[in-house]
């Protein structure tokens, strides 16, 4: 069965420092991968997606992610974190069994210290 | 362009009761998916509707049911509420038929359901 693992439950980063959030997926073929962000009390906002081609994808708010097939990973990065980036981040993979559903990881909470 | 909207924002129900949650999809989208997000967890897929028919279902019992209307809006119904049904219910819309882009889902703000 497909699955997504986000190994880090909670990460704290200093403002201005770089950020990397880890995501590992389980899927046989080339996956469709997504990163979403959720601010407190709000729905999920799509940051970026990977379908095929260039393995480094750019998203909104200065985020990027790199697809590494050999490591089954799709890690999210940002070179300089802002206090407003504090939120919950979810990695997701497209399901191959239920329409166009997404399978989400449990999320990583990002705190930003000043 | 109007985004995904959901109503109500919050809801408190008693165990055993029934609840209906509503969702209006983003303009131009023809597919609606529902997810349950328990506290501290990632969203879990409940089911999806396309062309007014259920088009995929997650591991949820039949007391979770839904509808999609001709204008692509949707309802989620939950019967015989249990305490564990307390969660944030998220609706997402997408546009099926665009290849991989059909998997891009745009979420509403959610309905917070509390079952006591």
């Amino acid at each position: 069965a497909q699955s997504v693992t986000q190994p880090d439950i909670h990460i704290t980063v200093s403002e201005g420092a770089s950020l990397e959030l880890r995501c590992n997926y389980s899927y046989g073929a080339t996956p469709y991968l997504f990163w979403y962000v959720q601010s407190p009390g709000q729905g999920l906002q799509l940051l970026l997606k990977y379908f095929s081609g260039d393995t480094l994808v750019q998203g909104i708010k200065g985020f990027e992610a790199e697809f590494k097939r050999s490591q089954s990973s799709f890690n999210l990065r940002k070179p300089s974190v802002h206090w407003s980036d504090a939120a919950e981040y979810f990695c997701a993979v497209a399901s191959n069994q239920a329409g166009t559903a997404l399978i989400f990881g449990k999320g990583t909470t990002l705190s930003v210290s000043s | 362009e109007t985004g995904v909207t959901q109503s109500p924002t919050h809801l408190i129900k008693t165990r055993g009761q029934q609840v209906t949650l509503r969702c209006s999809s983003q303009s131009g989208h023809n597919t609606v998916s529902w997810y349950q997000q328990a506290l501290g967890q990632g969203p879990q897929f409940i089911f999806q509707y396309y062309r007014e028919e259920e088009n995929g279902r997650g591991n949820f019992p039949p007391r979770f049911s839904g509808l999609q209307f001709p204008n692509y809006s949707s309802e989620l119904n939950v019967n015989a509420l249990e305490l564990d049904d307390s969660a944030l219910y998220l609706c997402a819309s997408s546009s099926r038929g665009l290849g991989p882009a059909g998997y891009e889902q745009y979420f509403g703000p959610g309905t917070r359901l509390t079952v006591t």
Side-chain angles (χ1 to χ4, degrees), chain B residues 11-16 19 21 35-42 44 46 60 63-64 78-90 111-116:
Chain B
L11 204 52
I12 299 175
K13 289 287 189 178
T14 302
R15 189 172 52 185
V19 69
L21 309 182
Y35 293 82
Q36 181 195 66
Q37 187 179 18
L39 203 60
Q41 300 294 315
Q44 280 201 298
I46 303 174
F60 281 82
R63 60 188 185 86
F64 286 78
V78 187
N79 294 321
L81 283 167
E82 300 177 359
L83 296 179
D84 284 349
D85 295 333
S86 294
L88 181 68
Y89 288 84
L90 295 163
T111 294
R112 174 72 62 188
L113 173 64
T114 302
V115 182
T116 63

Side-chain angles (χ1 to χ4, degrees), chain A residues 74-112:
Chain A
F74 187 56
N75 294 349
L76 182 71
R77 300 194 295 243
K78 186 170 185 178
S80 178
V81 168
H82 188 261
W83 65 267
S84 61
D85 293 324
E88 187 89 17
Y89 290 81
F90 293 96
C91 180
V93 65
S95 169
N96 63 354
Q97 295 185 355
T100 55
L102 298 180
I103 298 168
F104 285 86
K106 292 187 176 182
T108 297
T109 301
L110 173 65
S111 298
V112 180

Side-chain angles (χ1 to χ4, degrees), chain A residues 9 32 34 36 38 41-46 49-52 88 90 93-107, chain B residues 31 33 35 37 40-45 48 55-58 88 90 94 96 99-110 112:
Chain A
I9 297 174
Y32 300 151
F34 304 82
Y36 284 84
Q38 184 177 36
Q42 298 194 13
L44 280 71
Q45 182 182 23
L46 179 64
K49 70 252 184 192
Y50 172 78
F51 295 146
S52 65
E88 187 89 17
F90 293 96
V93 65
S95 169
N96 63 354
Q97 295 185 355
T100 55
L102 298 180
I103 298 168
F104 285 86
K106 292 187 176 182
Chain B
T31 302
S33 303
Y35 293 82
Q37 187 179 18
Q41 300 294 315
Q44 280 201 298
F45 175 69
Q48 182 177 87
N55 180 51
R57 188 177 185 93
L88 181 68
L90 295 163
S94 54
R96 193 165 180 185
Y103 286 90
E104 285 187 46
Q105 300 196 7
Y106 294 86
F107 285 80
R112 174 72 62 188

